[in-house]
Amino acid sequence: MLTVENLRIYYATPVGHVKAVDGVSFDVREGEVFGIAGESGCGKSTLVHSLILRKRPMVHMGGRALFKGRDLMGLSEGEARRIRYTELSIIPQYAMNALNPTKKIRDIVWDLAREHGYSDREEVERLLRERLAMVKLSPSVAGMYPVELSGGMRQRATMVVSTLLNPDLLIADEITSALDVTTQRVVIELLHHFMEEGIVKSIIFVTHDLAILDKIADRIMVMYAGKVVEIGPTEEIINNPVHPYTRLLLNSLPRMGVQYRKQKLKGIPGYPISLLNPPKGCRFHTRCPRAIEKCPDEEPPLVRVGKDHYAACHLLGGEGQ
Ligand SMILES: Nc1ncnc2c1ncn2[C@@H]1O[C@H](COP(=O)(O)OP(=O)(O)OP(=O)(O)O)[C@@H](O)[C@H]1O
């Protein structure tokens, strides 16, 4: 579905390039929920937004993102607009406030459908009613302005808009972060429902919270400072993490399965590094409790550590993927 190869996305600033995504490779398979995790500032949002639209100061410095055979990095703005919502769609980080406040939900949806070639308003109304029911919103929501809806209702309305035209790949960027646990569960169930109904074929779910990915993702990629540190099946990442950063990230979680509940919670030592001048070698070495001599000098390659499970750490040895 999506193959990202050595992607580098920087921000051009007056004091230099912020290396937000720096040589990231992964693939998203058809039928899976692919989780991306990491602390705030590690480049998760930059990565997923660069797939949809790159606006200055965001700069594509290298690498490819092949989606259904086309390189997303090479699309013109018009081409990108054409596949947005129909093939590739995003539920943005601030989904509750993403809808145009001056338009009723039905007009937002109609504008979107018309832009993508629909001409029968009745058909679009029918589709909207069907989708509102799916996310448990009353048909009367169609005639309301976003401000008339509660935060949770607005979020569900945004989910309807993002998935209305059955995109193959749906990106959900930190959509559960501001929600209470019950609402988080509803959102996760809805995403599963979208997959089961064939409305979307695959999902990229971005969050800083590994506990949520444990519930929703088939595979997880953990990022640190613009790099991939570990990637593998959810089971493996949660129960058998091998990278020191992934282990610390799991240890810092308040809500996890039994195996973590007995452990004392620990924060990750130190602070995230600056991506303007990231350190040489392994980017995590400045905070890593297990760093060895070569960590500050050599960048560790991503090596296979199990079935479909890879990590980038000198402690693991290996020759690369
Ligand atoms: N417009 C910008 N100009 C310069 N630097 C930016 C810009 N937007 C983001 N960055 C920097 O890029 C890096 C990655 O940010 P990004 O938002 O992608 O991280 P994130 O992991 O999604 O974090 P969060 O969950 O807090 O959004 C950070 O160092 C951030 O400060």
Side-chain angles (χ1 to χ4, degrees):
M1 170 80 60
L2 174 72
T3 303
V4 173
E5 292 169 354
N6 202 18
L7 190 63
R8 287 186 298 133
I9 305 288
Y10 293 179
Y11 290 102
T13 77
V15 284
H17 279 133
V18 175
K19 301 175 179 70
V21 173
D22 209 8
V24 165
S25 301
F26 63 95
D27 65 318
V28 179
R29 302 164 190 165
E30 192 162 324
E32 77 171 346
V33 177
F34 184 77
I36 303 182
E39 281 168 299
S40 179
C42 72
K44 309 181 294 295
S45 288
T46 306
L47 171 59
V48 290
H49 281 270
S50 75
L51 302 176
I52 302 248
L53 181 63
R54 291 168 304 287
K55 272 201 201 140
R56 287 201 75 83
M58 198 188 266
V59 198
H60 170 233
M61 302 295 288
R64 305 194 297 173
L66 297 173
F67 174 62
K68 295 169 70 184
R70 276 164 307 184
D71 183 6
L72 295 174
M73 298 300 131
L75 296 187
S76 69
E77 228 179 287
E79 287 167 329
R81 206 173 312 121
R82 258 194 304 285
I83 67 163
R84 171 112 195 247
Y85 293 105
T86 52
E87 297 184 43
L88 180 64
S89 193
I90 188 163
I91 309 174
Q93 190 160 9
Y94 302 104
M96 279 178 207
N97 303 316
L99 299 173
N100 183 342
T102 66
K103 292 200 166 183
K104 291 179 179 172
I105 302 297
R106 77 157 41 89
D107 295 326
I108 294 174
V109 160
W110 173 235
D111 285 352
L112 173 72
R114 217 169 26 168
E115 202 187 314
H116 286 93
Y118 286 72
S119 54
D120 182 347
R121 187 144 194 176
E122 244 326 291
E123 181 196 346
V124 175
E125 281 281 326
R126 238 189 346 265
L127 183 59
L128 173 59
R129 273 198 302 276
E130 197 184 292
R131 294 295 167 85
L132 287 173
M134 192 178 278
V135 302
K136 307 218 164 32
L137 286 175
S138 136
S140 64
V141 165
M144 294 166 109
Y145 290 95
V147 285
E148 294 180 83
L149 305 173
S150 72
M153 289 165 85
R154 241 179 291 152
Q155 174 144 37
R156 274 179 283 157
T158 308
M159 288 172 80
V160 166
V161 173
S162 302
T163 56
L164 189 84
L165 305 181
N166 297 4
D168 298 304
L169 177 60
L170 178 67
I171 297 169
D173 183 15
E174 292 276 12
I175 60 167
T176 49
S177 310
L179 306 177
D180 60 74
V181 177
T182 318
T183 320
Q184 278 182 1
R185 194 175 314 128
V186 173
V187 167
I188 287 172
E189 278 167 11
L190 282 177
L191 291 178
H192 274 141
H193 195 59
F194 287 153
M195 292 270 283
E196 279 158 19
E197 292 292 314
I199 290 168
V200 303
K201 294 197 179 102
S202 310
I203 294 175
I204 298 181
F205 193 95
V206 177
T207 179
H208 61 275
D209 188 350
L210 273 171
I212 292 200
L213 291 185
D214 189 22
K215 293 191 201 112
I216 190 170
D218 297 297
R219 286 190 304 137
I220 296 175
M221 174 169 90
V222 181
M223 287 180 71
Y224 180 77
K227 301 267 184 196
V228 177
V229 296
E230 188 161 358
I231 184 165
T234 300
E235 245 298 283
E236 280 282 294
I237 299 288
I238 300 291
N239 297 320
N240 187 25
V242 296
H243 196 285
Y245 176 68
T246 313
R247 290 183 175 183
L248 285 164
L249 201 59
L250 280 161
N251 262 329
S252 67
L253 285 179
R255 284 173 279 111
M256 279 305 290
V258 180
Q259 68 274 35
Y260 287 100
R261 227 172 257 155
K262 291 194 193 114
Q263 264 175 260
K264 207 164 156 256
L265 296 178
K266 288 192 204 117
I268 301 172
Y271 298 97
I273 54 161
S274 158
L275 294 180
L276 257 178
N277 284 306
K280 236 177 81 190
C282 171
R283 288 195 177 171
F284 189 54
H285 84 263
T286 54
R287 301 171 75 190
C288 183
R290 303 189 57 202
I292 55 175
E293 210 181 323
K294 66 176 169 180
C295 298
D297 296 322
E298 278 175 48
E299 188 176 333
L302 207 55
V303 296
R304 189 172 183 273
V305 291
K307 190 163 179 285
D308 218 13
H309 186 177
Y310 299 85
C313 176
H314 286 306
L315 298 169
L316 304 167
E319 292 298 311
Q321 248 191 81

